[in-house]
Amino acid sequence: AQSVTQPDIHITVSEGASLELRCNYSYGATPYLFWYVQSPGQGLQLLLKYFSGDTLVQGIKGFEAEFKRSQSSFNLRKPSVHWSDAAEYFCAVGAAGGGADGLTFGKGTHLIIQP
Amino acid sequence: NAGVTQTPKFQVLKTGQSMTLQCAQDMNHEYMSWYRQDPGMGLRLIHYSVGAGITDQGEVPNGYNVSRSTTEDFPLRLLSAAPSQTSVYFCASSRMEAGEVGELFFGEGSRLTVL
């Protein structure tokens, strides 16, 4: 079964600084990878996804992520964060060939933006 | 375009009571699912469905029932509520391509408290 690890429970970043959120997955075959963002009291919104092709994926709100198969990682990056980026971020993996088992989510990283 | 609609947004129950969380989507998605979100646990899959008349269990199905009589609706039933079911519940739907679940679209969540 697939699994996802987000090593950082909380991350604090100054506004305007760069950001990297880590995600490691475990799955033997080709994964589908996602990053979702959840603002307080809201549902989850898709930031970006990787199915195949170019390993550097661009998403909404200026986010990007890079799939590194050798490291089983799919880290999320943003060059300059804004106060509105404060939220909970979830990495998720779906398995190609996994059928309808759906997505497995990490436990989330809470992003705090300092002024 | 309403997307995924969940009702109610908030509910308080007493132990032993039953209730149904409603979920409807207007995107003609084959796949629908229910997750629960608990602090520090991420999202865990309760039940899912790949089409009308077809349902299956996820990671944490005990204490919950589902049915899928139409493509649009996927209600989640708590038969006898327990305090351990206090959580935020999310319904999510997706297209399926070649038997694979893709990007999940989430409702805004239903916060349930069981006293």
Side-chain angles (χ1 to χ4, degrees), chain B residues 26-88:
Chain B
D26 60 1
M27 296 173 283
N28 202 32
H29 286 169
E30 302 95 328
Y31 181 86
M32 296 186 74
S33 57
W34 278 100
Y35 286 86
R36 61 177 289 174
Q37 184 180 27
D38 302 291
M41 299 294 291
L43 281 86
R44 293 180 291 170
L45 183 64
I46 305 172
H47 284 286
Y48 64 91
S49 167
V50 298
I54 306 169
T55 63
D56 208 342
Q57 296 180 351
E59 179 185 356
V60 289
N62 292 341
Y64 307 95
N65 275 358
V66 291
S67 60
R68 185 94 179 269
S69 56
T70 67
T71 300
E72 295 79 16
D73 300 301
F74 191 48
L76 178 72
R77 296 183 185 85
L78 284 69
L79 304 176
S80 178
S84 60
Q85 294 178 302
T86 294
S87 187
V88 181

